[in-house]
Amino acid sequence: PVFIEGKWSFSRTQCKIRVQKCTSFYGRQNGKKNSSWILLHDFLSSTTLTLHSTLFRQAWTTRWTESAKWKPKSEMGAWKHTAGQWFADENDKGIQTSEDARFYGISAKMDGTFTSGDKPLVIQYSVKHEQQLDCGGAYIKLLPGGDDFDAAKFGGETEYAVMFGPDICGSSNKRTHVILHYDKKSDNLLINKEVSTETDDVTHLYTLIVNPDNTFQVLVDNKSVRKGSLDEEFDFLPEKEIKDPDASKPADWVDEAKMADPEDKKPEGWDDMPAEIPDPDAEKPDDWDDEDDGEWEPPMMDNPDYKGEWKPKMIDNPDYKGPWEHPMIPNPEYKYDEDMYKVCSKGCTHVGFELWQVKTGTLFDDIIVTDSVEEAEAFAQETFFKKKDAEKTMYDEHMASQEPEDDGDDDYMGDMGDMGDFDMGGMGDEF
């Protein structure tokens, strides 16, 4: 179903014709949710607008292919189709990792090809860690490959255009990965700055926007957590300046700020002072026998007059020129690239999850890849934001039910506190 000029329509043809006024929503019929989604809108106008979105429906296994040929079967974890332990609608299901200490791989072909052009790339999906995740990834990958993409072999070695999403391992490694492929380096470039992530047990929405002006933004629950320019926060380009290879520090350059005072002389007898001396208060024991015990010697102690190795005092160096700085010159290899943002220059055709999780239970849902920020925002309102409050309420109720009940026995003495009339008998004599 599509919403056009205030009315619901079930015609894909009409949707294609009315490009400017066609927006996808989660449909309702007779006041009830429609169980189907439009999985692709391929709107053709003066430019091609592609939208790829998916929910995990009952027939999700026909849409998604598990990576059966990536790792041995014994190392691969099974995906579970579920709404999880806490949710807004038990029929609104995603897929969830279900076995501890396993690899997970699964991918799906989008209904159209996304090719980087004059519009932004927007990747958005939801993540819920129900297991208090201590070590594991939860990132999504945007993949090229087209008809040659081997879904059964999809894994960690598979070429990708974007890797985006949370990764947690231990208390110090908690971040949202943003990794972009750069054809000119044949390399995957990790963002140079930390991007925060959520670590609680409820659903969160992760959004990455890569703009044609070579800027990007990461949002969590529709709130910006990092934005900037690709050339400043990724290593797409060489440095603008380099050290002049023909320059070197002059041989007579003085970079010592202090020098020994030439007028300062070591006092006479300085080196004659020993570091230790015999303890003047020590006395030979009365039972000491020189024949049996040897000649008695008093124990040694630190010499209070010993001043250590003599060093001349330091004064300001009159020839000091400061630290030498290597002169910089423009890097002849630097050239700004207007196409850094074109991570899908060859066309991206699939999305997938390729993960390792020690403790399992992460649930994924509400995936959209689009060239419209507005479309992604509308999708978020109709999915994540519509569900989040009800899910949080159920989660809070679940956590409250896990707390131990107060049985009122904290005061284990009960009414025995007032023992004024209690007859101790002869017990006092027992202690």
Side-chain angles (χ1 to χ4, degrees):
V2 294
F3 193 81
I4 303 176
E5 295 184 328
K7 299 179 181 179
W8 286 108
S9 170
F10 291 82
S11 168
R12 291 191 59 146
T13 303
Q14 185 178 6
C15 183
K16 289 184 178 181
I17 294 173
R18 306 295 293 277
V19 178
Q20 291 81 8
K21 298 181 180 179
C22 180
T23 306
S24 66
F25 287 93
Y26 198 75
R28 291 179 179 268
Q29 290 179 292
N30 300 322
K32 297 180 180 180
K33 283 187 177 180
N34 189 308
S35 62
S36 66
W37 273 89
I38 292 181
L39 298 179
L40 167 69
H41 307 288
D42 192 6
F43 305 134
L44 301 178
S45 58
S46 57
T47 59
T48 300
L49 169 66
T50 54
L51 166 67
H52 316 282
S53 62
T54 181
L55 291 180
F56 297 95
R57 304 170 299 163
Q58 291 297 331
W60 70 275
T61 53
T62 64
R63 175 88 178 181
W64 293 78
T65 302
E66 295 193 51
S67 305
K69 297 181 180 180
W70 173 34
K71 298 279 186 182
K73 186 175 181 180
S74 60
E75 298 180 16
M76 297 297 295
W79 293 93
K80 182 167 62 174
H81 185 220
T82 178
Q85 299 180 64
W86 37 89
F87 44 78
D89 180 353
E90 62 181 347
N91 294 316
D92 187 352
K93 300 178 181 180
I95 56 171
Q96 185 179 44
T97 57
S98 65
E99 299 176 76
D100 290 347
R102 291 290 188 274
F103 290 96
Y104 290 87
I106 195 168
S107 59
K109 185 176 182 179
M110 301 190 296
D111 292 287
T113 300
F114 184 96
T115 303
S116 299
D118 59 356
K119 295 184 178 181
L121 165 63
V122 186
I123 303 172
Q124 182 173 278
Y125 72 116
S126 66
V127 180
K128 176 170 59 168
H129 301 304
E130 292 191 333
Q131 73 277 44
Q132 295 182 339
L133 182 65
D134 54 359
C135 190
Y139 35 79
I140 193 170
K141 288 186 173 180
L142 182 60
L143 308 157
D147 293 336
D148 295 328
F149 182 81
D150 192 339
K153 292 183 178 179
F154 167 60
E157 299 77 26
T158 303
E159 178 185 356
Y160 63 87
V162 178
M163 175 173 151
F164 168 62
D167 186 28
I168 297 171
C169 198
S171 59
S172 59
N173 183 18
K174 299 179 180 181
R175 67 189 64 179
T176 297
H177 277 311
V178 184
I179 304 177
L180 306 177
H181 183 76
Y182 190 39
D183 286 337
K184 294 182 180 179
K185 284 189 174 183
S186 297
D187 198 5
N188 301 317
L189 308 180
L190 173 66
I191 190 170
N192 294 324
K193 297 181 180 180
E194 290 292 314
V195 183
S196 63
T197 192
E198 296 292 335
T199 58
D200 58 25
D201 302 335
V202 296
T203 301
H204 292 282
L205 187 72
Y206 290 83
T207 307
L208 171 65
I209 304 169
V210 181
N211 295 303
D213 63 355
N214 282 330
T215 62
F216 76 98
Q217 184 169 204
V218 177
L219 302 98
V220 178
D221 298 346
N222 214 29
K223 296 178 181 178
S224 180
V225 295
R226 173 67 65 187
K227 62 181 178 180
S229 60
L230 296 179
D231 59 313
E232 292 180 355
E233 303 209 15
F234 295 81
D235 294 329
F236 279 93
L237 307 176
E239 297 293 333
K240 292 182 180 180
E241 292 186 324
I242 60 172
K243 293 180 179 180
D244 185 352
D246 297 326
S248 59
K249 185 169 72 171
D252 60 350
W253 188 274
V254 178
D255 49 14
E256 291 83 20
K258 296 287 186 177
M259 60 174 287
D261 184 355
E263 303 296 329
D264 192 20
K265 304 297 181 182
K266 181 165 62 175
E268 291 186 8
W270 184 280
D271 294 334
D272 298 334
M273 188 70 66
E276 293 184 332
I277 59 174
D279 185 353
D281 296 327
E283 296 181 357
K284 180 178 178 181
D286 294 337
D287 58 353
W288 187 276
D289 189 319
D290 288 343
E291 292 184 3
D292 293 336
D293 301 325
E295 183 180 357
W296 181 81
E297 295 181 356
M300 303 298 287
M301 59 174 286
D302 291 339
N303 186 350
D305 296 325
Y306 179 68
K307 298 180 180 179
E309 179 185 359
W310 183 83
K311 295 180 181 179
K313 67 180 181 180
M314 304 299 288
I315 60 173
D316 291 338
N317 189 343
D319 297 324
Y320 175 62
K321 297 181 179 180
W324 185 77
E325 295 183 3
H326 203 123
M328 306 295 287
I329 61 172
N331 185 353
E333 296 183 2
Y334 175 82
K335 182 180 180 181
Y336 188 80
D337 184 4
E338 299 286 352
D339 296 333
M340 287 180 285
Y341 74 97
K342 290 186 176 181
V343 293
C344 289
S345 60
K346 299 177 182 177
C348 292
T349 56
H350 292 70
V351 292
F353 297 98
E354 166 271 308
L355 313 168
W356 161 261
Q357 289 200 333
V358 175
K359 194 174 181 181
T360 194
T362 300
L363 191 149
F364 304 98
D365 202 355
D366 302 337
I367 304 166
I368 183 171
V369 179
T370 179
D371 60 11
S372 169
V373 174
E374 293 76 18
E375 189 74 38
E377 290 177 350
F379 187 85
Q381 293 298 326
E382 289 298 312
T383 55
F384 171 74
F385 286 103
K386 185 170 287 186
K387 298 180 289 187
K388 64 185 292 289
D389 291 341
E391 179 196 303
K392 182 60 165 61
T393 298
M394 187 175 182
Y395 171 75
D396 291 340
E397 292 172 351
H398 170 81
M399 296 305 294
S401 70
Q402 304 302 305
E403 296 178 358
E405 295 184 3
D406 184 1
D407 57 10
D409 291 338
D410 290 345
D411 184 5
Y412 70 93
M413 293 293 289
D415 293 334
M416 293 179 65
D418 183 6
M419 299 179 63
D421 296 331
F422 186 75
D423 185 4
M424 296 289 290
M427 290 178 64
D429 294 337
E430 300 294 327
F431 299 95

